[in-house]
């Protein structure tokens, strides 16, 4: 499914960016180009990033680690 009409970015590209290490919305947008033009797709991109992180977690412990890593990164800024 096309997520960003302006840059023609699909959901697979978003998932691939997350798999390649993009852990924040800004990193996914920078890696894919999605959300960098009109910004109309940013909410969908964010939802896909979160959804992909949750899908990657095999257990609740994995999910806690993903969440803790993001909170630690946010606190470091």
């Amino acid at each position: 499914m096309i997520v960003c009409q302006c840059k023609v970015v699909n959901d697979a590209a978003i998932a691939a960016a997350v798999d390649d290490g993009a852990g924040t919305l800004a990193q996914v947008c920078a890696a894919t180009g999605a959300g960098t033009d009109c910004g109309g797709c940013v909410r969908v991109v964010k939802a896909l990033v979160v959804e992909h992180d949750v899908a990657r977690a095999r257990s609740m412990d994995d999910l806690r680690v993903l969440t803790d890593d993001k909170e630690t990164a946010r606190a470091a800024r």
Side-chain angles (χ1 to χ4, degrees):
M1 139 181 97
I2 299 294
V3 175
C4 176
Q5 297 291 327
C6 299
K7 301 291 183 172
V8 191
V9 177
N10 62 19
D11 56 336
I14 302 297
V18 173
D19 286 341
D20 289 343
T24 65
L25 176 62
Q27 290 171 340
V28 170
C29 289
T32 63
T36 60
D37 200 358
C38 79
C41 63
V42 171
R43 288 184 184 192
V44 175
V45 173
K46 182 177 182 178
L48 287 171
V49 170
V50 170
E51 180 181 299
H52 191 66
D53 270 351
V54 170
R56 248 187 345 178
R58 288 167 289 199
S59 69
M60 286 304 291
D61 289 335
D62 289 344
L63 188 56
R64 283 187 198 99
V65 168
L66 288 170
T67 304
D68 290 345
D69 287 347
K70 286 184 180 174
E71 289 174 4
T72 301
R74 232 181 268 129
R77 287 190 231 155

